[in-house]
Amino acid sequence: MAPNLVEKITDALHLPGSHKHKKTSAESEPKKPILDKEKVSVIFVLGGPGAGKGTQCSLLVEKYNFSHLSAGDLLRAEQDRPDSHFGDLIRTCIREGTIVPMEVTIKLLENAMLAELRSKSGEGWTNGKGRFLIDGFPRKMDQALKFEEDVCLSSLVLFFTTDEETMLKRLLKRGETSGRDDDNIESIKKRFVTYRETTMPVIEHYEKLGKVAEIDSSSPVDQVHTAAVAAVTKVLV
Ligand code: ADP
Ligand code: AMP
């Protein structure tokens, strides 16, 4: 995307509590992410649609006082925001199961993270510390690289995995009550293709870096949770 378009998106997403980068005088210094991995734990949560990411994140929030930021939820909220410039773009991407341009998604995440760091307290949130489950992100290599360059390095990728038949059944069941535009058979099939073709390479990238904890999410919710806890406790700062 052209740099001036990136700036426009950044301005347009200037939500309450948002943050803008200020150029420092030391422009020659190597660029660093705005958040320090030693203080802020970022755990990416990936897996196919319906694998159980949101379910497991809610349980981990109760246990560890994480901030749970779902990229999909942030995009749906931005889509519904009356003044949003991106409502139609996001709506189309969600219905078609495609990836929303990374500038939009990353800026929404960055704004939400900074707001949480300002306001959240309790276990894991003292002295500038914080702990985030970033759910459904990164779904494409460009957003993985850009987020880690600009915002924060990740500590772990929790990768929930089960077969497509199971995910399909779960999503159709969820669709009976979720009210989501994309919990229908046409959108689900498209989401599976995007997952296989675009998101799996991201998981493979992090596997090469030894950062992935793969968890079979075919089992009952409590068993999956036990496995997730074991992985998470190793990386919390
Ligand atoms: P995702 O966030 O990965 O899209 P969700 O957490 O929303 O998935 O789960 C999709 C559906 O499957 C939900 O209705 C949820 O209640 C159900 N579900 C999640 N985990 C399990 C599990 N381990 N066993 C059975 N059903 C599950
Ligand atoms: P989810 O709520 O995680 O099932 O995501 C629903 C939809 O939101 C996806 O099918 C995409 O269209 C969009 N979306 C979610 N996360 C991302 C992301 N990280 N990058 C781009 N688009 C996303």
Side-chain angles (χ1 to χ4, degrees):
M1 203 176 283
N4 60 347
L5 186 53
V6 174
E7 276 165 28
K8 275 189 200 157
I9 289 174
T10 304
D11 285 346
L13 285 170
H14 189 48
L15 308 171
S18 75
H19 166 92
K20 287 191 172 189
H21 288 291
K22 289 201 180 86
K23 280 195 178 153
T24 63
S25 53
E27 280 190 80
S28 53
E29 279 177 23
K31 209 172 160 208
K32 278 205 294 191
I34 56 169
L35 301 174
D36 177 1
K37 176 182 189 286
E38 301 308 319
K39 291 188 125 184
V40 176
S41 297
V42 166
I43 299 181
F44 293 144
V45 183
L46 291 176
K53 301 180 292 298
T55 304
Q56 294 301 324
C57 285
S58 300
L59 294 171
L60 291 171
V61 165
E62 278 175 37
K63 191 167 172 70
Y64 294 111
N65 199 29
F66 277 109
S67 165
H68 170 210
L69 298 177
S70 150
D73 285 350
L74 289 171
L75 288 165
R76 281 183 286 273
E78 177 64 18
Q79 165 194 288
D80 295 338
R81 197 168 62 88
D83 295 338
S84 176
H85 296 208
F86 305 108
D88 290 339
L89 170 73
I90 295 172
R91 195 166 293 108
T92 306
C93 289
I94 287 183
R95 201 180 41 239
E96 295 301 314
T98 53
I99 303 289
V100 175
M102 69 166 176
E103 286 77 9
V104 176
T105 314
I106 291 177
K107 201 67 203 166
L108 288 169
L109 280 170
E110 181 188 328
N111 287 343
M113 289 174 80
L114 293 172
E116 289 285 75
L117 283 163
R118 280 192 297 271
S119 65
K120 211 166 155 57
S121 57
E123 189 199 343
W125 294 85
T126 48
N127 304 321
K129 285 189 171 186
R131 43 179 70 166
F132 292 94
L133 293 172
I134 311 280
D135 169 4
F137 182 94
R139 274 180 149 104
K140 191 174 174 187
M141 262 326 286
D142 65 352
Q143 44 180 256
L145 299 175
K146 184 78 178 151
F147 179 93
E148 295 205 288
E149 190 185 322
D150 288 359
V151 184
C152 194
L153 283 166
S154 63
S155 326
L156 178 73
V157 177
L158 274 182
F159 172 36
F160 293 105
T161 173
T162 184
D163 54 88
E164 284 189 3
E165 200 189 325
T166 304
M167 295 192 282
L168 176 64
K169 269 196 215 143
R170 288 181 184 176
L171 290 174
L172 290 175
K173 181 87 193 131
R174 186 176 76 182
E176 290 172 13
T177 52
S178 67
R180 281 179 52 159
D181 290 343
D182 59 350
D183 280 347
N184 60 72
I185 188 82
E186 293 78 23
S187 293
I188 292 168
K189 284 190 176 155
K190 291 175 185 168
R191 291 157 73 196
F192 284 163
V193 173
T194 302
Y195 169 65
R196 273 186 242 125
E197 293 180 354
T198 312
T199 307
M200 276 311 297
V202 177
I203 294 161
E204 283 155 15
H205 163 79
Y206 285 111
E207 257 160 7
K208 284 189 202 127
L209 300 178
K211 278 189 170 186
V212 176
E214 181 170 343
I215 295 169
D216 180 1
S217 61
S218 319
S219 333
V221 170
D222 57 337
Q223 285 180 28
V224 181
H225 175 61
T226 303
V229 165
V232 162
T233 46
K234 291 186 192 147
V235 301
L236 278 184
V237 290

